[in-house]
Amino acid sequence: MRVEAVELHRVAMPLVRPFETSFGRQTARDVLLVRVRTTVGDGWGECVAMADPVYSSEYVDGCEAVIRHYLAPALLAAGEVAAEGIAALFAFVVGNRMAKAAVETAVLDAQTRAAGVSFGEYFGADREFVDCGVSVGIAPAVEELLAEVAGYVDEGYRRIKLKIKPGWDLEPVRAVRELIGDTLLQVDANTAYTRADIEHLGLLDEFGLLLIEQPFVEEDILTHIALAEAIETPVCLDESVVSAELAFDVIGRGATSIVNIKAGRVGGYLEAARIHDVCAELGVPVWCGGMLETGIGRAANVALAAMENFTLPGDTSASNRYFAEDLTEPFVLVDGRLAVPTGPGSGVEVRADLLRAWASRPPLELT
Ligand SMILES: CC(=O)N[C@@H](Cc1ccc2ccccc2c1)C(=O)O
Ligand SMILES: [Mg+2]
């Protein structure tokens, strides 16, 4: 197929409640969506980058610039393309994986829709429903945290993940563990700790956590190795794992024994599937991370999370965890699970009325 146009859409979506992490407090998503118009039909991809470069070095305005000035021109000039060749086509651009992922996903969506193949079929899903966990932000006080967690447990979430940072860790984790009994529980520090905190983090061992996610900065593999050797709780990496190559490296060096896979962080769903395969080979369980995606990205994540080695509940929460109304039909939690879409491509349709109503500026059409 040939790509005849690339459209960049920006949508402002308020969050149903503030989401606070060690790197800041979010109250809305500034979402960049990519639509490719091809000779076989349209396809959509969602860019997971945040408004500011505080989770990783990418941010939404930067991603839009990279797509506009580098990726879209390369795609439009390429003639015949296939999703499997997009990573190579974009290799001349270093990094910028979230920008690349959004465009590759749009091409994959157009290609699989035209072929009548769902993402789940394309990835080799082995189930029709995926177990869902939920990520809970830092709260003003433990009481508010417990009320939010109780609500998620009532909704049926199969795993609770708490954001932690220095000064907000042992006390909230202890309180939540007491509240939820033996419901699965894990924590995510988003790089907020340092080597000096290793002994302190060892105190989390008493709470029987599934894992501790990315306690140190992305590049500091040695300290993750030191922590893994010092504590019982398994170490899980998120920000550090940006490719299958790196997954292989950090696992081999003992820095992580569980991996959070996010297609946007690693350059797309094809690389995400390769990381799944590397981890399966090495006997390392994986789970699907989240970047507060709309239903467009959520649909693709749920299909990815249905691959065999995704054996832990992911952050593929229901649409209403983040949005009062979603850009697609909402993903609704049933018995702690989300259904894997079965339609061609991502299996979801973008609601054109809301796309127009929530647009923060007119779409940019590149031809
Ligand atoms: C569900 C979850 O915890 N996600 C990220 C952190 C995160 C937090 C806030 C975000 C706001 C806008 C876009 C992406 C974001 C990602 C994580 O696992 O580390
Ligand atoms: Mg994380």
Side-chain angles (χ1 to χ4, degrees):
M1 69 183 171
R2 285 192 318 285
V3 176
E4 296 172 323
V6 176
E7 279 176 15
L8 302 184
H9 295 253
R10 288 287 283 272
V11 172
M13 293 178 68
L15 298 180
V16 290
R17 65 185 66 88
F19 189 62
E20 186 175 335
T21 67
S22 62
F23 56 73
R25 186 170 183 271
Q26 322 287 327
T27 56
R29 282 290 271 120
D30 174 357
V31 186
L32 168 61
L33 300 170
V34 179
R35 168 157 65 183
V36 292
R37 324 216 66 161
T38 83
T39 45
V40 299
D42 289 359
W44 285 93
E46 177 171 348
C47 182
V48 302
M50 299 177 58
D52 306 306
V54 291
Y55 162 81
S56 73
S57 60
E58 292 187 81
Y59 66 108
V60 67
D61 285 339
C63 288
E64 182 170 295
V66 168
I67 295 170
R68 184 174 180 182
H69 301 302
Y70 299 95
L71 305 184
L75 188 59
L76 292 161
E80 278 301 306
V81 294
E84 297 77 6
I86 296 300
L89 178 68
F90 290 168
F92 75 102
V93 169
V94 177
N96 292 280
R97 292 179 173 89
M98 293 179 180
K100 291 175 176 177
V103 181
E104 181 189 86
T105 307
V107 172
L108 180 65
D109 187 32
Q111 179 175 311
T112 48
R113 278 176 194 271
V117 171
S118 72
F119 276 5
E121 289 163 340
Y122 184 87
F123 298 142
D126 75 348
R127 70 201 81 158
E128 293 176 7
F129 298 89
V130 299
D131 288 0
C132 297
V134 61
S135 181
V136 187
I138 292 168
V142 170
E143 290 68 30
E144 281 96 327
L145 179 72
L146 295 180
E148 186 177 351
V149 169
Y152 294 140
V153 171
D154 289 348
E155 285 185 65
Y157 282 103
R158 292 170 175 258
R159 179 268 281 145
I160 297 294
K161 160 171 152 177
L162 301 178
K163 292 295 183 180
I164 61 172
K165 66 178 182 183
W168 178 269
D169 49 28
L170 299 182
E171 186 197 355
V173 171
R174 183 190 315 281
V176 168
R177 176 49 88 201
E178 281 165 15
L179 175 76
I180 67 175
D182 57 9
T183 299
L184 298 178
L185 179 61
Q186 65 193 56
V187 294
D188 186 359
N190 288 109
T191 77
Y193 293 87
T194 68
R195 183 175 280 264
D197 298 311
I198 285 185
E199 188 177 347
H200 174 77
L201 291 171
L203 299 177
L204 287 168
D205 280 346
E206 78 170 276
F207 303 115
L209 301 179
L210 268 178
L211 55 93
I212 175 171
E213 187 180 344
Q214 197 75 43
F216 311 117
V217 294
E218 176 185 344
E219 299 86 355
D220 187 356
I221 302 309
L222 284 178
T223 306
H224 284 103
I225 295 169
L227 179 72
E229 288 165 352
I231 70 171
E232 294 303 312
T233 305
V235 176
C236 172
L237 292 179
D238 172 351
E239 289 87 335
S240 295
V241 180
V242 293
S243 67
E245 180 87 23
L246 260 176
F248 185 79
D249 179 37
V250 295
I251 291 167
R253 294 168 62 189
T256 191
S257 52
I258 301 173
V259 174
N260 166 338
I261 295 181
K262 294 176 179 174
R265 182 191 76 219
V266 303
Y269 286 88
L270 305 190
E271 186 69 7
R274 284 190 282 271
I275 294 174
H276 163 276
D277 296 346
V278 163
C279 291
E281 278 289 302
L282 297 172
V284 167
V286 302
W287 53 281
C288 186
M291 295 292 277
L292 284 64
E293 291 91 343
T294 73
I296 301 165
R298 196 160 300 279
N301 288 347
V302 171
L304 179 73
M307 290 176 78
E308 186 181 5
N309 190 39
F310 281 89
T311 53
L312 294 169
D315 284 343
T316 49
S317 307
S319 295
N320 70 0
R321 160 64 185 92
Y322 296 113
F323 308 115
E325 203 172 6
D326 205 337
L327 264 182
T328 64
E329 282 309 303
F331 279 85
V332 177
L333 198 72
V334 175
D335 188 23
R337 293 186 172 112
L338 289 182
V340 178
T342 54
S346 68
V348 294
E349 297 302 327
V350 178
R351 293 177 52 183
D353 56 323
L354 295 182
L355 188 65
R356 218 177 2 266
W358 297 344
S360 46
R361 59 114 167 89
L364 195 60
E365 184 175 22
L366 307 167
T367 54

